[in-house]
Amino acid sequence: MHNRIMITGAGSGLGREIALRWAREGWRLALADVNESGLRETLDLARAAGGEGFVQRCDVRDYSQLTALAQACTEQFGGIDVVVNNAGVASGGFFAELSLEDWDWQIAVNLMGVVKGCKAFLPLLERSKGRIINVASMAALMQGPGMSNYNVAKAGVLALSESLLVELRQVEVAVHVVCPSFFQTNLLDSFRGPNPAMKAQVGKLLEGSPINAADIADYIHRQVAAGEFLIMPHEAGRQAWELKRQAPERLYQEMAEMAVKMRAKAVSR
């Protein structure tokens, strides 16, 4: 019976909801996050929902912590079947204002954290013929203004996932990439950027979303079962992607106008 899942960033938000969605099917959960109290809370909720498992503090920037987590999965579960690389941090600011430190931090967590998660767990997944679910963002496909470092990191996660999709087919490891639009989450707790006005605008986007993390986890569960590679939980995101494929210049024009408005707002505060 293969029912063992590892989730990074499981202490809150989408990571927590993914844990609860799989817990309802009675899966065994390996939950990782830098937020230990959030992790314990997720495990309690998961147990109440019908799951079981363990928690381990893990900073995805540190490869040795990820290999230790893979080791723990081997010891506690005898292996792993699904790996969800979900840990991520928010960031924003116009390119001219972003420091190189902002870039390093964003790439280290949102891109290299996923690379390291895949690397640490691939040997276990090859053994179980398991699957990888990488959480990117619509920012990987749409590259909105005022978040170039976030866009680049998430586009990297998409490119990594596409690379793994074709490379791992031979060893029967399935790959999925999730590109949610903004949704109600505590991503803003980790927000870093040079401009506080930018944080307020991102906050508005998050609050205005008609779909929450639990809905997204449910959608991911369905699409993974259906064998879908590119998973876009938001209807508006799917429409925007369709537009970009058909008329990219129109989308760039809209984004450029959005950038003008964002700059004006940032200046007026």
Side-chain angles (χ1 to χ4, degrees), residues 66-76 121 124:
L66 281 157
T67 54
L69 182 61
Q71 187 59 39
C73 289
T74 303
E75 284 161 15
Q76 306 235 18
F121 279 87
L124 297 186

Side-chain angles (χ1 to χ4, degrees), residues 122 161-173 175:
L122 184 57
S161 304
E162 289 177 328
S163 306
L164 293 176
L165 173 73
V166 295
E167 280 190 31
L168 299 181
R169 196 161 278 176
Q170 281 169 301
V171 293
E172 295 173 68
V173 172
V175 179

Side-chain angles (χ1 to χ4, degrees), residues 224-242:
V224 165
E228 195 64 50
F229 166 67
L230 179 60
I231 299 174
M232 292 180 276
H234 291 75
E235 178 56 38
R238 296 193 287 274
Q239 288 171 356
W241 175 229
E242 209 39 61

Side-chain angles (χ1 to χ4, degrees), residues 92-135:
F94 286 110
F95 182 77
E97 301 164 355
L98 288 170
S99 69
L100 289 177
E101 285 72 27
D102 291 330
W103 275 91
D104 287 343
W105 179 72
Q106 186 54 235
I107 300 287
V109 180
N110 282 4
L111 176 54
M112 290 311 297
V114 177
V115 170
K116 289 169 183 176
C118 290
K119 187 96 179 135
F121 279 87
L122 184 57
L124 297 186
L125 291 170
E126 286 189 350
R127 222 166 294 152
S128 65
K129 309 277 187 231
R131 63 182 71 241
I132 292 170
I133 303 172
N134 290 332
V135 178

Side-chain angles (χ1 to χ4, degrees), residues 146-262:
M147 46 198 269
S148 55
N149 58 346
Y150 186 81
N151 291 338
V152 168
K154 292 296 191 177
V157 172
L158 175 60
L160 170 69
S161 304
E162 289 177 328
S163 306
L164 293 176
L165 173 73
V166 295
E167 280 190 31
L168 299 181
R169 196 161 278 176
Q170 281 169 301
V171 293
E172 295 173 68
V173 172
V175 179
H176 310 268
V177 64
V178 184
C179 292
S181 307
F182 289 111
F183 59 95
Q184 292 137 345
T185 174
N186 64 340
L187 194 61
L188 275 194
D189 297 352
S190 70
F191 185 93
R192 274 197 200 183
N195 189 323
M198 193 75 80
K199 179 168 180 171
Q201 280 173 270
V202 175
K204 277 208 193 73
L205 280 171
L206 296 176
E207 278 155 28
S209 172
I211 178 172
N212 64 26
D215 300 327
I216 292 172
D218 209 45
Y219 186 85
I220 293 169
H221 191 273
R222 286 201 307 278
Q223 296 299 102
V224 165
E228 195 64 50
F229 166 67
L230 179 60
I231 299 174
M232 292 180 276
H234 291 75
E235 178 56 38
R238 296 193 287 274
Q239 288 171 356
W241 175 229
E242 209 39 61
L243 169 68
K244 182 174 179 179
R245 286 155 78 185
Q246 286 165 11
E249 289 301 331
R250 245 179 70 200
L251 185 83
Y252 300 145
Q253 188 54 42
E254 275 179 41
M255 295 279 199
E257 285 160 19
M258 197 197 300
V260 171
K261 284 189 194 127
M262 283 166 77

